[in-house]
Amino acid sequence: MATIKDVARRAGVGIATVSRMLNGTGYVSADARKRIEEAIEALNYIPNERARNLPKKRAGIVGVIIPDLQMPFYASFIRQVEIDLHEYGYKTMVCNTVEISSREKEYVDMLERSVVDGIITGALSVDEEVYQQIDRPIVSMDHDLGPGIPLIHSDHGKGGRLAAERLLRQGCRSALQIGGLFPANTPSNDRYLEFERVMTEQGVPVRTIRLEWNRTDYAYYREIFERHREEIAGANGVFASDMGALALCHFASGQEIRVPEDMKIIAYDGTDMTRLPCPVLTAVCQDIPLLAGKCVDTIMKLIRGEEGIEYRQITDVFIQEGGTG
Amino acid sequence: MATIKDVARRAGVGIATVSRMLNGTGYVSADARKRIEEAIEALNYIPNERARNLPKKRAGIVGVIIPDLQMPFYASFIRQVEIDLHEYGYKTMVCNTVEISSREKEYVDMLERSVVDGIITGALSVDEEVYQQIDRPIVSMDHDLGPGIPLIHSDHGKGGRLAAERLLRQGCRSALQIGGLFPANTPSNDRYLEFERVMTEQGVPVRTIRLEWNRTDYAYYREIFERHREEIAGANGVFASDMGALALCHFASGQEIRVPEDMKIIAYDGTDMTRLPCPVLTAVCQDIPLLAGKCVDTIMKLIRGEEGIEYRQITDVFIQEGGTG
DNA sequence: CTGAAAGCGCTAACAG
DNA sequence: CTGTTAGCGCTTTCAG
């Protein structure tokens, strides 16, 4: 590997001149420029970005921590984050916590070890204190990590409301919600709280099947459905995550439950899989591109030390008209 | 941020001694050790990993390039790769090419810029030459990038065969395959080639609906199905990717086509979504953990300069017994 | 056992 | 316009 030194020697100039030319900082005579270009060409020189970043005290990388890439919502989220970070000239490092809090901790450490310039986190398998102790760029999606850490999330409360109101309008008299509440108090749970509040307010009873929030496989849903067969049969309006809703559609058809005639189903998240059946699932959709965009814009502001950070950003949710509810 | 210098000064020792202790390389007297520990504690010192890696000429990061995180197969693949790389003490940088070849190229460049120590690629939106020109650790999943670059992939040929044989055994007389052939010649296409070969050999005609390989959304499938309504109705055995197979199941139920009575469907990939319906989709499954494991083991060998690289590794596929075919 | 010194490859003043 | 000289923060000989 040729270094900047080799190029300088070969071009017969100083190493700073080469650096200046490469970075477009400062003037370089046409003559020198030409010789340097030739040297670069001849030596097939490519600047080492890690060495370049050391004096600049930057890594050029942002870490993204999420519970599990296997969950479509997070896969879509990271996909968009990666695209947006790339626009800013930053690379994306991923971490699945996969239920292991030590892994989350380790990746958070990367921030202090200077391997990343900032972290966008959507996981919460560690105590929020872990994040609070760090005085570096951190942005949280969905979970309140305490003061000083920007929190960005969908308007989950509105999402729950939209679902409830829709089911009520369609005459639902007995509701069921299936979902995994995060252990901690997080805006993410508002969807269930608000759903229940609105329903109850209108005199409609709500039963809840609580899932372990970290189980991501469909087999788990089947197991749960079998176990709660009766509760399901007794409900004519269901509110569940995309995966749960879709799995329930299949389960229902096996149980001779007609959707939406006998049971209305509203999915939450609105990832691509809700557009699999025809007609598509009725769903409350999070605006993933917007969400990701705000996370990226905010972490970049933090990294660049810009002013005007918004510490609470809420993105709108909307209904996807479908055939299930 | 405290540096190693600060620690050394405060502990009243040389900077090398601190380094030795931190890395467990060389002896350090109990006395010095104690003073250093105190200094580290007091200064809340955390070593800068980027600086540490510069002299070591390593980044500690591996890049993973794939077409699109939105495709469940790739999401699962990266998930596993990240977990395995972590075991080796390496971090994972992701890149979705999302159909944009310049993005793939840029990420490949990261290897030459020393941002990553190696690349695992499952994408192929650029010419293979782009990879050939680089003499650094590269491992390819699914696509033959030419000599010198280890190629790891599922036994797609066997996968196509398994599907064909199964459909034949069940009396399929008219087959349809729905899939996106990669433009280049890649082992990934063998599933279709072998499927067609076996079927044709037994006198069963095979029709093919060719998809654009880079369309990942379900809406596209619906569009395609509508356009090919008749071809679909005319087939009693279908071989398609997970997404296609699942979408087809839904489409079929809308068309009064009974699965598996009127039409048998075999999915390819075997990602989690095939376990959504009950009974689950009959599917040819790739062994993603094994695949990811081999990719990671191989890139690590390459990075460490170890001997005994296998330049062609093929992982087995297996049938998931399901209710659709 | 330990410290001084020479890098890793590049950036960024600072005098020319 | 340009070369010299300090670093960035840490590793690693190499004499003590």
Side-chain angles (χ1 to χ4, degrees):
Chain A
M1 284 293 104
T3 74
I4 196 173
K5 224 179 199 165
D6 302 324
V7 174
R9 189 169 338 139
R10 170 144 187 157
V13 302
I15 148 181
T17 307
V18 179
S19 174
R20 271 193 294 267
M21 193 188 112
L22 253 31
N23 298 291
T25 153
Y27 303 90
V28 177
S29 69
D31 179 48
R33 165 160 281 129
K34 185 150 175 267
R35 303 217 307 283
I36 293 173
E37 271 164 358
E38 275 172 12
I40 287 178
E41 175 74 14
L43 268 35
N44 189 21
Y45 168 72
I46 296 176
N48 179 324
E49 207 165 303
R50 286 199 344 272
R52 177 181 259 174
N53 283 339
L54 227 214
K56 283 188 184 160
K57 293 176 188 265
R58 71 157 234 166
I61 303 175
V62 169
V64 186
I65 304 177
I66 47 126
D68 199 327
L69 254 176
Q70 194 124 325
M71 299 166 119
F73 173 75
Y74 292 112
S76 295
F77 177 72
I78 290 208
R79 171 186 192 273
Q80 194 61 47
V81 164
E82 190 268 311
I83 291 172
D84 292 345
L85 278 174
H86 178 262
E87 295 278 304
Y88 275 107
Y90 272 71
K91 291 124 222 160
T92 306
M93 192 172 109
V94 284
C95 163
N96 291 274
T97 65
V98 288
E99 317 168 41
I100 304 170
S101 66
S102 64
R103 300 191 86 230
E104 181 167 353
K105 174 77 173 78
E106 273 179 65
Y107 276 97
V108 173
D109 284 348
M110 296 299 102
L111 190 51
E112 302 202 272
R113 297 190 182 294
S114 300
V115 359
V116 295
D117 295 322
I119 280 183
I120 295 173
T121 180
L124 189 48
S125 61
V126 299
D127 200 274
E128 82 170 50
E129 205 183 305
V130 168
Y131 288 101
Q132 275 297 331
Q133 284 166 344
I134 301 178
D135 186 31
R136 292 210 184 181
I138 297 175
V139 163
S140 173
M141 182 191 70
D142 265 1
H143 309 301
D144 188 349
L145 261 29
I149 298 180
L151 167 58
I152 299 170
H153 63 90
S154 290
D155 193 341
H156 296 298
K158 175 176 173 185
R161 237 152 30 233
L162 284 177
E165 285 160 4
R166 190 170 178 109
L167 287 179
L168 285 171
R169 217 178 309 132
Q170 296 172 329
C172 166
R173 307 295 255 350
S174 135
L176 174 67
Q177 57 182 350
I178 305 174
L181 272 75
F182 274 85
N185 173 33
T186 143
S188 184
N189 289 339
D190 287 350
R191 66 189 85 171
Y192 301 114
L193 304 180
E194 274 295 286
F195 178 82
E196 189 163 353
R197 190 185 64 70
V198 173
M199 280 302 202
T200 309
E201 203 171 271
Q202 299 300 317
V204 174
V206 177
R207 310 204 63 158
T208 301
I209 297 181
R210 209 155 180 159
L211 306 177
E212 296 169 50
W213 67 271
N214 48 19
R215 287 291 298 269
T216 70
D217 53 309
Y218 288 109
Y220 176 59
Y221 281 102
R222 192 160 17 258
E223 188 188 315
I224 287 290
F225 292 163
E226 287 296 343
R227 204 187 308 160
H228 296 266
R229 190 186 293 262
E230 284 178 30
E231 265 161 286
I232 291 171
N236 59 8
V238 181
F239 182 43
S241 70
D242 283 356
M243 289 176 82
L246 203 46
L248 183 58
C249 281
H250 283 278
F251 183 78
S253 71
Q255 300 286 309
E256 314 273 308
I257 299 174
R258 290 168 308 164
V259 176
E261 293 81 0
D262 304 332
M263 176 190 281
K264 314 211 180 300
I265 300 178
I266 296 189
Y268 193 88
D269 275 353
T271 57
D272 204 44
M273 67 164 77
T274 61
R275 288 175 284 283
L276 180 63
C278 31
V280 303
L281 287 187
T282 301
V284 174
C285 301
Q286 296 195 56
D287 190 337
I288 297 183
L290 184 58
L291 202 53
K294 283 186 185 288
C295 288
V296 170
D297 290 347
T298 305
I299 198 70
M300 288 312 304
K301 272 191 184 171
L302 245 24
I303 290 174
R304 294 175 173 173
E306 291 174 16
E307 303 287 305
I309 306 289
E310 294 176 69
Y311 284 88
R312 187 76 182 254
Q313 297 175 63
I314 300 176
T315 60
D316 203 15
V317 297
F318 56 92
I319 286 270
Q320 164 176 285
E321 292 296 334
T324 61
Chain B
M1 285 292 103
T3 74
I4 196 173
K5 225 181 200 163
D6 302 323
V7 174
R9 189 170 339 139
R10 171 149 188 151
V13 302
I15 145 180
T17 307
V18 179
S19 173
R20 270 193 294 268
M21 191 189 112
L22 253 31
N23 298 291
T25 152
Y27 303 88
V28 177
S29 68
D31 179 49
R33 164 160 283 126
K34 184 148 176 272
R35 302 216 309 283
I36 292 173
E37 271 163 359
E38 275 172 12
I40 287 178
E41 175 74 14
L43 267 36
N44 189 18
Y45 168 70
I46 297 175
N48 178 324
E49 207 165 304
R50 289 202 338 276
R52 176 181 258 174
N53 284 338
L54 227 215
K56 283 187 182 161
K57 292 174 189 261
R58 73 157 231 165
I61 303 175
V62 169
V64 186
I65 304 176
I66 48 129
D68 199 327
L69 255 175
Q70 193 123 327
M71 298 165 122
F73 173 75
Y74 292 111
S76 296
F77 176 73
I78 290 207
R79 171 187 192 274
Q80 194 60 48
V81 164
E82 190 269 312
I83 291 171
D84 293 345
L85 278 174
H86 179 262
E87 294 279 301
Y88 276 106
Y90 272 71
K91 290 126 223 156
T92 307
M93 191 173 110
V94 284
C95 163
N96 291 274
T97 66
V98 287
E99 315 167 42
I100 303 169
S101 65
S102 64
R103 299 192 86 230
E104 181 166 353
K105 175 77 172 78
E106 273 178 65
Y107 276 96
V108 173
D109 284 349
M110 295 300 101
L111 191 50
E112 302 201 272
R113 297 190 182 293
S114 300
V115 165
V116 295
D117 295 322
I119 279 183
I120 295 173
T121 179
L124 189 48
S125 62
V126 299
D127 201 274
E128 79 169 53
E129 205 183 305
V130 168
Y131 287 100
Q132 274 297 330
Q133 284 167 344
I134 301 178
D135 186 29
R136 293 210 183 180
I138 297 174
V139 164
S140 173
M141 181 190 71
D142 265 1
H143 308 301
D144 189 348
L145 261 28
I149 299 181
L151 168 58
I152 298 170
H153 62 90
S154 290
D155 194 341
H156 296 297
K158 176 177 172 185
R161 238 155 24 236
L162 284 177
E165 285 161 3
R166 189 170 178 107
L167 288 179
L168 285 170
R169 217 177 310 131
Q170 295 173 326
C172 165
R173 309 293 258 347
S174 134
L176 173 66
Q177 57 181 349
I178 304 174
L181 274 73
F182 274 84
N185 173 33
T186 142
S188 184
N189 289 339
D190 286 351
R191 66 189 85 172
Y192 301 114
L193 303 180
E194 273 295 286
F195 179 83
E196 188 161 355
R197 191 186 63 70
V198 173
M199 280 302 201
T200 309
E201 203 172 270
Q202 297 300 318
V204 174
V206 177
R207 310 204 63 157
T208 301
I209 297 180
R210 209 157 181 157
L211 306 177
E212 295 169 51
W213 66 272
N214 48 19
R215 286 292 297 268
T216 70
D217 53 310
Y218 288 110
Y220 177 58
Y221 281 103
R222 186 152 33 250
E223 187 188 315
I224 287 289
F225 292 163
E226 287 296 342
R227 204 187 307 161
H228 296 267
R229 191 186 291 263
E230 285 179 29
E231 267 161 286
I232 291 171
N236 58 8
V238 180
F239 182 43
S241 69
D242 283 355
M243 289 175 83
L246 202 46
L248 183 57
C249 281
H250 283 278
F251 183 78
S253 71
Q255 300 286 307
E256 314 272 308
I257 298 174
R258 289 169 308 164
V259 177
E261 294 80 1
D262 303 332
M263 176 190 283
K264 315 214 178 298
I265 301 178
I266 296 189
Y268 194 88
D269 275 352
T271 56
D272 204 44
M273 69 164 79
T274 62
R275 288 176 284 284
L276 179 63
C278 33
V280 303
L281 286 187
T282 301
V284 174
C285 300
Q286 297 196 56
D287 190 337
I288 296 182
L290 185 58
L291 202 54
K294 283 187 185 286
C295 287
V296 170
D297 290 347
T298 305
I299 199 69
M300 287 312 304
K301 274 192 184 173
L302 245 24
I303 289 174
R304 294 174 171 174
E306 290 174 17
E307 303 287 303
I309 304 289
E310 294 177 69
Y311 284 88
R312 186 78 182 254
Q313 297 175 63
I314 300 177
T315 60
D316 203 14
V317 297
F318 57 92
I319 285 270
Q320 163 175 287
E321 292 297 333
T324 62

